[in-house]
Amino acid sequence: MASSESGERLTLAGACAGETEAWAAGRAQSAQQPAGLSLPSGPPRAATPDARIMIVDDSPMLVEIVQESLASVGYHDFVPSSLSTEAVALVARHDPDIVLLDIMMPYVSGLEILEALRADTRFARTPVIIVTIACDQQTKLRALELGATDFLGKPVDSVELVARVRNCLVTKAHYDYLERYAQDLEHVVLERTKELHEHAIALEQANQNLRRLYREAQAAVCAKNAFLSNVSHEVRTPLTAILGFAQLLDDPELDEEEKALHVQTIQRNGRHLLDLINNILDLARLEASEADLDQTPCSVREIVDDVVLLLGALVRGKNLSLEADVEPSVPRAVETDPVRLRQILVNLVGNAIKFTESGEVRVSVHSRRRSPRSVELRIDVSDTGIGMSGETIARLFEPFYQADVSTNRRFQGTGLGLAISKRLARLLGGDIRVRSEPGQGSVFTLVFESTLPDESPVVPDA
């Protein structure tokens, strides 16, 4: 008999060890879990002989028998109690993995203890096996309603005891494991959701950038097409005149005066065509950032006087005066590119004369010291001409834009001078601003900063 009981105990001990191995195998099968999940390094305590078992029974002898039976298969952590009044407190103190609970006890019944345990969220899932000598159907139903996990009759059979305890502990261990896994999985899902949201935002930003680049590319294609269309139109006009009047020169009936007029027309259109080509080349170099500056000491006053002298012939035949006004505070010499500065002023003053029939065109030069060796220069080109609307000013510096789009276009020009001047001003480190109203004239202001040559005295602010 003793040999048979010993064999049963060995079988149970082996089963407990086998459950631990099965747990490890199951965990190995979970190795393909989502990245970021941190599975427990081993089976939970409830699935091993280290499980803590609490035994509550008013019979100390029964408590000892249960403890010996479970110890025979490897369990060793026990919390025994023969006083029902201290059972709930002991559970709270020791946090057992399973409770074996008698129903019929003095002072506090097992059902009352069970109800108290289930009312505490910490122990709502702790397995409770009801151990009783007699249990009617009504009591069993009540125990199940309160959350009993299993039932074990008295006298206690050691084999059944170990099997039921082991099954409850393994079930609890699996549940605890799955609960922790679910929590980890929820955390991973939240992290992945956050990452996906961030990727979605980044993708949307990339799509917006692509759409912006696409619009810019379309605008560049349209600008290129418009530029080529304007270039072909502007080139065709003087070429047509040149070819037409050259053909007229072959007429043997032309007198010398008519021939001279035709030659002058060819020469005028040839110069216009040359200016157009030069302007297109200048604009292309500026757009490609291939234009260089030749910073050298020069006199702004002399450059302004040269421009006024050069363009003075354009005001002849008009009720128009061209004046220059340079403040005494303007340094005698500054370091800048005199060729580029002269080109800007020729364009600005030439435009002012072209669009002004009477009154005055004035070039005013002002300076403001920025540091001991640098000065800010402001050159205003003002006129009393036809003026411009806000819409015209907004597009004024676009290549080939003409403020006068009438059919016969009273004011001849390529529409490139202001576009080139704007880019040259930025090349000098400055800019061109415009103030104008229709019928009230215009003021073009060139502002740029320049350094003073070492030998140039510092001129104080006026």
Side-chain angles (χ1 to χ4, degrees):
M1 180 69 179
S3 175
S4 175
E5 184 178 351
S6 175
E8 290 175 348
R9 289 177 180 176
L10 289 173
T11 302
L12 289 170
C16 190
E19 181 64 33
T20 302
E21 294 175 0
W23 184 276
R27 186 178 185 278
Q29 292 178 356
S30 302
Q32 296 181 353
Q33 76 274 12
L37 283 179
S38 56
L39 297 179
S41 59
R45 185 183 68 183
T48 69
D50 294 329
R52 181 170 298 158
I53 302 172
M54 183 172 180
I55 308 167
V56 182
D57 198 294
D58 59 342
S59 171
M61 183 179 297
L62 181 62
V63 171
E64 184 177 353
I65 291 173
V66 171
Q67 190 168 325
E68 288 178 356
S69 297
L70 294 173
S72 66
V73 294
Y75 294 110
H76 55 82
D77 191 355
F78 301 102
V79 182
S81 175
S82 298
L83 297 175
S84 61
T85 53
E86 67 177 9
V88 176
L90 287 174
V91 171
R93 186 183 311 158
H94 295 283
D95 188 20
D97 294 299
I98 189 171
V99 177
L100 279 69
L101 180 62
D102 187 14
I103 288 183
M104 305 299 292
M105 291 185 294
Y107 306 113
V108 181
S109 71
L111 292 179
E112 292 175 312
I113 295 174
L114 176 59
E115 185 175 11
L117 292 179
R118 293 303 186 232
D120 191 329
T121 55
R122 294 174 296 171
F123 313 113
R125 298 192 185 95
T126 302
V128 176
I129 298 179
I130 300 298
V131 184
T132 180
I133 192 170
C135 187
D136 55 35
Q137 187 71 15
Q138 185 177 359
T139 304
K140 280 189 175 182
L141 291 176
R142 179 58 181 161
L144 289 172
E145 289 176 357
L146 293 174
T149 309
D150 202 354
F151 293 90
L152 183 64
K154 295 180 182 178
V156 175
D157 180 80
S158 60
V159 175
E160 183 181 2
L161 168 66
V162 171
R164 291 186 182 277
V165 167
R166 173 177 164 273
N167 287 341
C168 287
L169 288 174
V170 170
T171 300
K172 179 180 185 297
H174 285 163
Y175 187 90
D176 291 345
Y177 176 85
L178 290 175
E179 186 177 38
R180 290 196 299 273
Y181 189 90
Q183 291 174 352
D184 288 345
L185 183 60
E186 183 180 6
H187 175 73
V188 170
V189 169
L190 290 176
E191 289 295 323
R192 295 295 183 272
T193 302
K194 180 181 178 182
E195 291 177 4
L196 287 174
H197 181 66
E198 292 174 350
H199 288 326
I201 293 176
L203 183 60
E204 178 59 26
Q205 291 176 344
N207 287 336
Q208 290 178 359
N209 289 335
L210 287 175
R211 287 192 290 268
R212 176 180 56 79
L213 292 174
Y214 177 72
R215 290 193 298 269
E216 291 177 356
Q218 283 187 317
V221 170
C222 292
K224 181 193 71 173
N225 292 337
F227 182 83
L228 292 176
S229 176
N230 286 323
V231 166
S232 63
H233 172 74
E234 295 295 338
V235 169
R236 188 185 300 114
T237 301
L239 275 179
T240 301
I242 291 172
L243 292 174
F245 282 95
Q247 187 176 3
L248 290 176
L249 289 176
D250 290 336
D251 187 354
E253 298 181 0
L254 287 178
D255 57 28
E256 293 301 322
E257 183 179 356
E258 289 177 323
K259 288 183 179 181
L261 289 174
H262 293 345
V263 170
Q264 292 175 2
T265 302
I266 292 173
Q267 291 174 340
R268 183 171 64 254
N269 282 277
R271 287 191 296 269
H272 177 71
L273 182 59
L274 180 62
D275 290 341
L276 175 63
I277 293 174
N278 287 333
N279 284 337
I280 292 174
L281 292 176
D282 283 344
L283 183 63
R285 284 194 294 267
L286 289 169
E287 291 288 353
S289 301
E290 295 179 356
D292 296 324
L293 287 179
D294 182 16
Q295 300 276 7
T296 183
C298 60
S299 169
V300 176
R301 187 187 303 272
E302 290 181 1
I303 293 174
V304 170
D305 289 342
D306 289 345
V307 170
V308 170
L309 182 62
L310 174 67
L311 300 179
L314 298 180
V315 303
R316 295 170 188 167
K318 288 186 174 185
N319 184 22
L320 183 65
S321 64
L322 176 61
E323 304 291 341
D325 178 18
V326 181
E327 285 187 346
S329 62
V330 174
R332 288 192 298 272
V334 298
E335 286 192 357
T336 188
D337 189 326
V339 175
R340 300 300 187 185
L341 178 58
R342 182 179 287 104
Q343 187 176 358
I344 295 172
L345 292 180
V346 167
N347 281 328
L348 295 182
V349 176
N351 263 7
I353 295 173
K354 180 167 57 176
F355 290 97
T356 305
E357 293 296 332
S358 63
E360 179 185 60
V361 173
R362 178 172 292 275
V363 183
S364 303
V365 185
H366 313 272
S367 68
R368 182 165 65 95
R369 193 176 64 203
R370 303 289 292 181
S371 71
R373 305 308 306 175
S374 68
V375 63
E376 181 186 79
L377 293 171
R378 189 182 88 244
I379 303 177
D380 294 326
V381 179
S382 59
D383 62 64
T384 57
I386 62 176
M388 293 174 288
S389 65
E391 181 181 356
T392 298
I393 293 175
R395 300 189 56 194
L396 192 60
F397 296 99
E398 296 179 9
F400 292 109
Y401 180 72
Q402 297 281 355
D404 178 11
V405 292
S406 58
T407 304
N408 56 1
R409 225 162 57 191
R410 295 177 297 140
F411 306 105
Q412 296 297 316
T414 64
L416 292 174
L418 289 178
I420 293 173
S421 298
K422 182 82 165 180
R423 288 158 176 76
L424 287 176
R426 290 177 176 173
L427 189 64
L428 292 176
D431 203 359
I432 296 177
R433 300 190 293 265
V434 185
R435 302 193 313 273
S436 183
E437 291 184 11
Q440 301 297 318
S442 305
V443 178
F444 285 76
T445 300
L446 168 65
V447 180
F448 65 98
E449 191 170 334
S450 181
T451 57
L452 299 174
D454 292 337
E455 67 274 8
S456 177
V458 177
V459 180
D461 291 336

